[in-house]
Amino acid sequence: MFERLGHFLGRFLERDQPSDQPVISQDAAALAASIRVGDVLLVEGRARISTAIKYLTQSTWSHAALCVRDLTSGEGRVELVEVTLQEGCHRVPLSKYTLYNTRLCRAAGLSVEERQTVADFLSARIGITYDTRNVIDLARYLFPTPPVPVRWRRPLLSLGSGDPTRAICSSLIAQAFQSVEYPVLPKIEMLRSPTGRPLGAVWHHRHASLIVPRDFDLSPYFAVVKPTLHRGFDHHRIPWAENDADGAHERVSQGKIVG
């Protein structure tokens, strides 16, 4: 009974709601040309669970996926590995997110071999599934905006399941980067002698279950790649319309706004 109820809740929470999507700023061709193996793609989701994650993390980004195949492979396709309630850890084409707002984040300084190691870490976990019998874990998302103090919202994401990486996509990706000792948002401990003299710093990986999609955006160790700019952008080539001010019928002429 709990398993059937869990599957029902999973479908309900992940049901797409296109009407909730704001203006799409995606340039799909530029994104496909720019993304590389090991890059993290953040997604502004539209499902009920996405609304809850956005609220609990105070962020636009509700989902994360990792690139495991790019166009440099010569196979003509880009593939991601992601984790969802319904499918668990699985591969998807980049085209799945053509009609979503996304952000591309790239770990700085990783070698080609390390980036492939990160991708292989996730690929090796394809098939891991979320235990939908744990309906308590799923029920936390039925209330997209629970009256929870800000300081308690992030820990709320890891409550319920004994294995939160099966529910939160970014947790498994964080583990992949930790496998090559790469930081996302680490804790940095300042060491001092008994007399108070600074002795240096020791870095600690933050527990993966507490890493959320926006952490890759906030991290000072990940660069934000803007595909349109990365591909080459020249504003002089934009074919602006004469009257395009949302019905205001205004245009700028010789430094003056003319009706």
Side-chain angles (χ1 to χ4, degrees), residues 25-36 39 41 67 70-72 78 94-95 97-98 100 102-104 106 225-234:
S25 60
Q26 182 73 278
D27 183 338
L31 176 60
S34 302
I35 196 169
R36 293 292 178 266
D39 286 353
L41 186 72
C67 178
D70 59 38
L71 292 182
T72 65
V78 178
L94 178 64
S95 58
Y97 293 113
T98 296
Y100 289 76
T102 60
R103 173 157 291 174
L104 186 60
R106 179 168 297 163
V225 179
K226 299 283 185 142
T228 301
L229 304 183
H230 188 263
R231 197 182 192 189
F233 173 70
D234 181 1

Side-chain angles (χ1 to χ4, degrees), residues 26-62:
Q26 182 73 278
D27 183 338
L31 176 60
S34 302
I35 196 169
R36 293 292 178 266
V37 168
D39 286 353
V40 178
L41 186 72
L42 304 182
V43 180
E44 183 178 13
R46 304 181 295 217
R48 290 177 177 84
I49 190 173
S50 301
T51 302
I53 292 175
K54 289 178 191 178
Y55 173 77
L56 293 172
T57 62
Q58 298 291 282
S59 172
T60 296
W61 313 113
S62 61

Side-chain angles (χ1 to χ4, degrees), residues 72-255:
T72 65
S73 68
E75 298 186 20
R77 67 181 188 274
V78 178
E79 291 185 339
L80 313 170
V81 169
E82 65 177 9
V83 182
T84 63
L85 292 178
Q86 287 293 290
E87 303 294 336
C89 186
H90 63 290
R91 285 181 182 253
V92 294
L94 178 64
S95 58
K96 174 180 178 179
Y97 293 113
T98 296
L99 298 180
Y100 289 76
N101 284 323
T102 60
R103 173 157 291 174
L104 186 60
C105 298
R106 179 168 297 163
L110 282 183
S111 66
V112 173
E113 292 75 17
E114 288 172 321
R115 295 168 70 83
Q116 188 61 55
T117 297
V118 170
D120 291 344
F121 182 97
L122 239 64
S123 296
R125 283 151 182 80
I126 289 176
I128 290 178
T129 57
Y130 176 69
D131 185 3
T132 53
R133 289 173 297 181
N134 194 339
V135 294
I136 294 176
D137 201 18
L138 287 168
R140 62 189 164 169
Y141 298 115
L142 293 176
F143 306 95
T145 56
V148 178
V150 173
R151 66 182 180 277
W152 293 346
R153 289 177 188 173
R154 183 182 293 239
L156 183 63
L157 289 169
S158 62
L159 293 176
S161 174
D163 187 0
T165 62
R166 297 189 179 189
I168 306 301
C169 50
S170 50
S171 297
L172 196 58
I173 294 174
Q175 288 184 20
F177 282 102
Q178 289 175 3
S179 73
V180 295
E181 297 297 324
Y182 195 86
V184 180
L185 277 183
K187 296 178 181 178
I188 302 177
E189 178 187 5
M190 303 304 297
L191 302 180
R192 295 184 180 275
S193 69
T195 61
R197 181 171 59 87
L199 297 177
V202 175
W203 290 34
H204 302 274
H205 287 297
R206 197 176 300 273
H207 196 280
S209 67
L210 297 178
I211 298 296
V212 297
R214 82 163 187 170
D215 290 338
F216 294 97
D217 190 9
L218 294 179
S219 174
Y221 316 109
F222 282 76
V224 173
V225 179
K226 299 283 185 142
T228 301
L229 304 183
H230 188 263
R231 197 182 192 189
F233 173 70
D234 181 1
H235 71 281
H236 296 100
R237 301 177 64 183
I238 298 176
W240 291 110
E242 283 295 316
N243 299 307
D244 63 345
D246 295 329
H249 302 295
E250 294 180 342
R251 64 187 177 87
V252 178
S253 176
Q254 297 179 353

